[in-house]
Amino acid sequence: RVKAEAESRARAEAESRAKAGVEARAKAEAESRARASIEAKQGWMTSCGQDQFGSWAVAMVSGVEMKFRYCPAGKFQMGSTATEEGGYDGESQHEVELTRGYWLGETPVTQRQWESVMGSKPSQFKGPDRPVEQVSCEDCQGFLARANGASPGLNVRLPTEAEWEYGCRAGTTGARYGNLDTI
């Protein structure tokens, strides 16, 4: 009986050490992931993370947050077919490969963001969280230059047509992301 109790204690201790080892490894791995996340944080980011939609980052530009989403490198079918909703006759799909990932604004530039950078309110349809409109391509280039100057390390630019479509499609092939009926 004494021998059985000793063996039982020894097994319990071994299991406890094994459990502690697993927990220590899990903690070390979590700390390693956290360190990697912090090291991956670029100078322009005030915060960054992951959620169910992927990687996100926030930059403070002239005192206002701008949120970005990471679009990883990849291939997709660009363009639409004539039968696709919103498709044009003569437009065809073709494979495009983006060889580098990039950050894309989560939303169009809002009136709040525009005003903080440019100091003007050019939009007809007013609302701080509505997209800015009534601006020219030259106005947009001015916004980008001022935004980059206001946030060291930030290097915003207009996306290429391929980057825009790739980001908007978000891995889907239909005319609308997630087959949504409304935007």
Side-chain angles (χ1 to χ4, degrees):
R1 176 180 160 146
V2 173
K3 183 176 177 185
E5 288 177 8
E7 288 175 357
S8 179
R9 276 196 305 274
R11 275 195 304 277
E13 288 175 16
E15 288 173 8
S16 178
R17 282 193 304 273
K19 183 178 178 183
V22 168
E23 290 171 355
R25 281 191 298 279
K27 183 179 179 184
E29 289 173 12
E31 289 172 350
S32 177
R33 284 193 302 274
R35 264 194 315 279
S37 174
I38 291 167
E39 290 168 1
K41 183 177 172 186
Q42 299 172 22
W44 58 268
M45 297 175 182
T46 56
S47 60
C48 60
Q50 293 260 338
D51 61 19
Q52 70 269 30
F53 304 112
S55 299
W56 57 267
V58 173
M60 288 299 287
V61 180
S62 298
V64 175
E65 286 188 355
M66 295 184 78
K67 192 169 187 179
F68 297 87
R69 290 287 177 170
Y70 188 72
C71 299
K75 294 179 184 180
F76 76 108
Q77 289 294 315
M78 185 171 171
S80 61
T81 64
T83 59
E84 182 180 272
E85 179 186 352
Y88 299 102
D89 287 337
E91 184 178 13
S92 62
Q93 288 189 321
H94 57 284
E95 185 174 82
V96 172
E97 180 176 7
L98 298 172
T99 59
R100 289 185 300 192
Y102 59 97
W103 291 95
L104 184 66
E106 185 175 72
T107 66
V109 173
T110 66
Q111 293 174 36
R112 178 189 331 268
Q113 293 164 340
W114 185 274
E115 184 179 3
S116 74
V117 172
M118 301 299 283
S120 64
K121 298 179 182 183
S123 298
Q124 178 180 351
F125 302 99
K126 303 291 186 195
D129 296 319
R130 288 184 163 195
V132 72
E133 27 90 11
Q134 304 290 318
V135 293
S136 68
C137 187
E138 291 78 21
D139 295 334
C140 292
Q141 292 299 334
F143 172 85
L144 296 170
R146 286 188 184 183
N148 287 331
S151 185
L154 187 65
N155 188 22
V156 290
R157 61 176 173 76
L158 293 174
T160 66
E161 184 178 2
E163 288 170 336
W164 177 254
E165 185 169 337
Y166 181 66
C168 290
R169 287 190 182 273
T172 65
T173 57
R176 297 178 188 262
Y177 171 72
N179 295 320
L180 297 176
D181 290 328
T182 59
I183 295 178

